[in-house]
Amino acid sequence: MTTMKTSLLSLSTTLSPPPPSQLLHNHRRPYFPQTFKFNVRASSSSSSPSNSFSNHRVVVTREQGKNGKLITALAKHGIDCLELPLIQHTQLPDLDKLVSLLSATSFDWIIITSPEAALVFLQAWKAAGTPNVKVAVVGTGTASIFYDAKPSSKQLIDVAFTPSKATGKVLALELPKHGNEKSTVLYPASAKASHDIEEGLSKRGFYITRLNTYTTEPVQHVDQVILQQALSASVVAVASPSAIRAWVNLLPEPINWSGSIACIGETTASAAKKLGLRNIYYPSNPSLQGWVDSILDALLVHN
């Protein structure tokens, strides 16, 4: 279990990424055994300056305007990106309920399980007057949203817990309780998020309130010229199960697609596997750096 006692102002002293050697061994993994032998070889050489990715393209698929950090990180490796937004986010009525609850009620924990959920929560938190809250996040990628926010208010969000493995099931299993009392939890999430957290925490005696503050839908229009370029790209980078489903729906023959999928984390990778995709890469702990490393692994196999 990893526990963080920190605030929004202490980014420089917490959650610093491990050195490259650790990332190579701990953060990147393919989803299928048949690609593992290639990925081990790729991991041992991905930092070599002799590797060239000039003949490959990575498709980035987050909502318009939210691909910038990944594009910048990949550009440092000489990687060309093609932006093809696959999903769009829509706020739901529970967002207003979240503002009301944050204004009037105190919770032992607030659980945030994705970067998008963190962004939506920050919006409600500010509207509620920036109250003191203690947050449990599913991984460092989600935690970074809070650190990047840097609110000027004296009221700080205490990012106090991250599970040993970045999944909802493990978070529900490891979240600390306050003695023998029935701890209260607020869980603002996507309407499409699983119920692993509610079920796991309820079994442990937590009292949990879930609010579906937003949802994700496939984009209404996909540029066909860009799509044709994306279909021939080496790697498609995805950050959610919704994006995976949207990509598969665009493939003429998913089973014959020869590209690789680089997922932000295990939950998204699991969705890709269930949809029949192959050559799936993901980091053990979701983060921007881990995601980039997984993309590099996938590209090296293509090289």
Side-chain angles (χ1 to χ4, degrees):
M1 178 188 301
T2 303
T3 305
M4 297 182 294
K5 296 293 184 181
T6 185
S7 73
L8 287 170
L9 300 183
S10 59
L11 175 58
S12 61
T13 59
T14 58
L15 287 176
S16 57
S21 60
Q22 290 180 315
L23 286 171
L24 291 175
H25 296 291
N26 297 335
H27 282 239
R28 302 203 297 273
R29 62 177 69 176
Y31 206 93
F32 295 103
Q34 61 262 36
T35 64
F36 183 74
K37 60 180 183 290
F38 298 112
N39 214 34
V40 169
R41 186 170 70 231
S43 295
S44 66
S45 60
S46 62
S47 59
S48 171
S50 63
N51 291 320
S52 173
F53 305 111
S54 59
N55 295 325
H56 299 284
R57 174 176 283 173
V58 173
V59 181
V60 294
T61 60
R62 272 181 161 166
E63 194 172 16
Q64 189 74 42
K66 297 182 179 179
N67 292 297
K69 288 185 178 180
L70 182 58
I71 291 174
T72 299
L74 293 174
K76 294 178 181 179
H77 297 274
I79 298 170
D80 181 30
C81 291
L82 178 69
E83 191 166 18
L84 179 70
L86 294 178
I87 61 170
Q88 55 192 7
H89 294 93
T90 304
Q91 294 178 356
L92 298 176
D94 273 2
L95 182 59
D96 293 331
K97 295 181 182 179
L98 176 58
V99 175
S100 299
L101 280 177
L102 290 174
S103 301
T105 309
S106 178
F107 292 86
D108 293 315
W109 289 104
I110 296 174
I111 294 178
I112 307 295
T113 58
S114 72
E116 185 62 30
L119 291 171
V120 174
F121 172 78
L122 282 173
Q123 178 183 339
W125 177 74
K126 293 174 182 177
T130 64
N132 283 310
V133 293
K134 185 164 69 171
V135 173
V137 296
V138 75
T140 56
T142 300
S144 69
I145 300 298
F146 292 110
Y147 297 124
D148 291 345
K150 297 180 181 179
S152 58
S153 170
K154 294 181 180 179
Q155 303 291 346
L156 300 178
I157 297 175
D158 180 16
V159 182
F161 176 77
T162 304
S164 60
K165 187 176 182 181
T167 67
K169 288 184 178 180
V170 176
L171 189 152
L173 181 65
E174 297 179 347
L175 187 71
K177 295 187 69 174
H178 296 284
N180 295 322
E181 299 180 4
K182 196 166 187 177
S183 298
T184 56
V185 174
L186 177 63
Y187 177 34
S190 165
K192 294 185 176 180
S194 73
H195 295 279
D196 291 340
I197 286 178
E198 301 105 290
E199 294 171 358
L201 290 178
S202 295
K203 290 178 180 178
R204 294 181 57 208
F206 284 83
Y207 181 80
I208 183 166
T209 300
R210 172 170 173 162
L211 296 177
N212 294 325
T213 55
Y214 71 99
T215 190
T216 56
E217 301 291 345
V219 294
Q220 297 299 313
H221 173 73
V222 175
D223 187 297
Q224 292 301 305
V225 174
I226 296 178
L227 174 59
Q228 291 305 311
Q229 296 175 14
L231 291 173
S232 61
S234 300
V235 178
V236 175
V238 289
S240 68
S242 296
I244 282 287
R245 288 189 289 269
W247 174 247
V248 170
N249 288 336
L250 291 173
L251 294 176
E253 296 182 4
I255 195 172
N256 293 326
W257 181 61
S258 61
S260 296
I261 287 286
C263 302
I264 197 171
E266 184 175 352
T267 300
T268 303
S270 178
K273 178 186 177 183
K274 290 178 181 178
L275 290 170
L277 295 179
R278 300 169 294 173
N279 304 323
I280 302 168
Y281 295 80
Y282 69 100
S284 300
N285 293 301
S287 66
L288 178 61
Q289 184 59 56
W291 199 11
V292 169
D293 289 334
S294 295
I295 292 170
L296 294 178
D297 278 345
L299 286 172
L300 283 166
V301 171
H302 281 277
N303 269 353

